[in-house]
Amino acid sequence: KFISDYRWDDSLMLAEAKGMISDLVEEENGMLTVDESGIPKKGKESVGVAQQYCGNTGKLDNCQVGVFVGYTSEIGYGLIDRGLYMHKSWFEEDYRERREKCKVPEELEFKTKNQIALELLQQNLDSGQFQAGWVGFDAGFGSDHNFRDAIDLLDVNYLGGIKSNTLVWLNRPEVRIPTYSGKGRPAVKPQVLEGEPAAVSVSEIANDPDLAWEVAVLAEGAKGPVIARLCFIRVVEHRDGLPGKDLWLVIRKDAGGKLRYAFSNAPADIPKKQLIRAMTMRWPIEQCFEDGKKYLGMDHYEHRGWTAWHRHMTYVILALLFLLRLRLAFKKNSLH
């Protein structure tokens, strides 16, 4: 009842937590990270639950999905915000009674996970509590060029995962300029000129034996340093058959040979060490999820309502703050 029904303002508690996290780890060139986390559920009455992809199980599952924001600096890291993704089915008329039982705000409208992430990022940047030179996100967000365009408008560098079949050009191709009819309508649409090289997938680029790889230590794990080979290439994104923006393509090859890909809008002349630093700052939000679910009961609750879900996750953020203070007190910062 305390979590679900009692009248207390969890937004004030979250604001206090953010202030404490900011005082501990904020720095000028920090990174805001955004990621989703799924929590499997057996029933159908928990707010937002639906058959959808669940990262926790790695498949389509009956689950709730939350969108979370983390903050990382050289000093430490933690979760700072949360928002529940409401599956589109919950806005159908058949769900009216469930929405009322779960105390879903009447004014709530459907938002994609990417829209929720952008709102949370904007709010935390506007708050002034977390200086950030970077925003990090995985391929679930990074494969949406509209999402990346929106991050561009926030005036920060981003490092965002992309899928292995993402197409790029290694050099900007020439494009035929559209011609217009007398009525002002394009008679010929813009298109890449014949004879220009075709766009290639980032996985094809990764298989080039002549790539120049750099070895970097990305983190100090429980079993020793996490070492990866990295490659940084300037590319032109493929957008609806036409060349888009000039970006950094970052290819990461783990010790086991697994490849990961990311785009960055960082300037062409950015020092490579800053891109490597950004790579080290992207992963801590995943560590927050692991710690939260393994030690802090992030996925262990029985309440079903909208308010209760957000209050529970606020307590998880507070518990992670407690662990952050312990790490700093005992100088156990996993970034180093």
Side-chain angles (χ1 to χ4, degrees):
K1 285 186 176 180
F2 174 73
I3 292 290
S4 299
D5 300 325
Y6 281 18
R7 294 183 179 181
W8 56 279
D9 195 338
D10 55 291
S11 65
L12 291 177
M13 179 183 284
L14 180 61
E16 287 288 325
K18 287 182 181 183
M20 289 185 273
I21 296 169
S22 175
D23 290 343
L24 287 171
V25 301
E26 187 208 19
E27 64 179 10
E28 184 176 355
N29 202 27
M31 175 183 277
L32 286 168
T33 53
V34 61
D35 207 344
E36 65 175 82
S37 184
I39 297 174
K41 290 290 175 182
K42 292 182 179 180
K44 297 181 179 180
E45 302 302 321
S46 294
V47 62
V49 73
Q51 191 76 13
Q52 54 193 328
Y53 179 76
C54 179
N56 208 40
T57 60
K59 61 180 181 180
L60 285 175
D61 215 335
N62 194 61
C63 67
Q64 292 172 303
V65 176
V67 178
F68 295 85
V69 177
Y71 183 78
T72 308
S73 72
E74 293 285 343
I75 304 167
Y77 58 86
L79 289 185
I80 62 170
D81 219 334
R82 73 288 181 265
L84 178 64
Y85 168 67
M86 293 288 285
H87 193 269
K88 205 162 191 176
S89 60
W90 273 75
F91 294 89
E92 297 172 1
E93 187 60 30
D94 292 347
Y95 276 73
R96 176 178 292 276
E97 188 176 337
R98 290 187 195 179
R99 291 199 303 272
E100 291 175 354
K101 285 182 178 179
C102 292
K103 298 182 174 63
V104 176
E106 291 184 12
E107 69 278 9
L108 189 71
E109 297 179 351
F110 172 73
K111 295 174 185 175
T112 66
K113 285 176 270 191
N114 290 14
Q115 288 172 323
I116 295 170
L118 285 171
E119 286 187 5
L120 293 176
L121 286 170
Q122 184 74 68
Q123 290 167 12
N124 283 284
L125 284 169
D126 289 347
S127 74
Q129 285 184 302
F130 298 98
Q131 296 185 69
W134 289 87
V135 169
F137 42 90
D138 67 9
F141 297 95
S143 296
D144 176 3
H145 64 77
N146 291 318
F147 180 83
R148 289 188 279 107
D149 286 348
I151 299 297
D152 262 334
L153 296 176
L154 298 178
D155 197 28
V156 291
N157 294 328
Y158 67 69
L159 180 71
I162 55 173
K163 296 177 181 177
S164 61
N165 61 355
T166 302
L167 296 175
V168 298
W169 281 279
L170 292 173
N171 295 289
R172 181 169 291 276
E174 289 192 45
V175 176
R176 180 168 60 188
I177 305 299
T179 58
Y180 293 87
S181 65
K183 296 181 179 180
R185 298 175 180 173
V188 180
K189 294 181 180 180
Q191 60 184 32
V192 175
L193 292 175
E194 291 186 15
E196 287 292 289
V200 297
S201 68
V202 293
S203 60
E204 290 179 70
I205 295 174
N207 289 326
D208 184 345
D210 296 326
L211 280 185
W213 295 91
E214 300 182 26
V215 178
V217 177
L218 300 184
E220 289 293 338
K223 299 180 180 179
V226 178
I227 299 174
R229 299 172 70 195
L230 303 175
C231 184
F232 306 94
I233 307 169
R234 290 296 285 178
V235 297
V236 179
E237 66 171 334
H238 178 281
R239 190 175 288 198
D240 299 324
L242 294 171
K245 298 179 179 180
D246 293 307
L247 298 168
W248 281 105
L249 169 63
V250 183
I251 306 175
R252 168 181 169 178
K253 182 182 287 187
D254 294 332
K258 181 179 179 179
L259 290 163
R260 304 184 195 185
Y261 310 90
F263 276 158
S264 176
N265 65 339
D269 60 353
I270 191 172
K272 297 284 181 64
K273 64 181 181 181
Q274 290 192 31
L275 287 170
I276 294 173
R277 177 179 178 272
M279 293 287 290
T280 69
M281 299 175 79
R282 162 66 188 86
W283 69 268
I285 193 169
E286 299 173 13
Q287 187 65 47
C288 288
F289 294 155
E290 183 178 334
D291 291 345
K293 292 176 180 178
K294 189 174 182 180
Y295 303 115
L296 307 176
M298 183 176 182
D299 54 350
H300 293 167
Y301 52 85
E302 297 181 5
H303 46 257
R304 294 175 172 175
W306 169 268
T307 301
W309 187 91
H310 287 85
R311 286 176 170 178
H312 178 81
M313 295 307 168
T314 299
Y315 271 105
V316 172
I317 289 171
L318 280 168
L320 285 167
L321 169 58
F322 173 72
L323 294 185
L324 169 62
R325 284 177 162 170
L326 285 181
R327 284 199 304 273
L328 294 178
F330 292 96
K331 305 189 184 302
K332 295 288 185 180
N333 183 1
S334 299
L335 283 180
H336 299 290

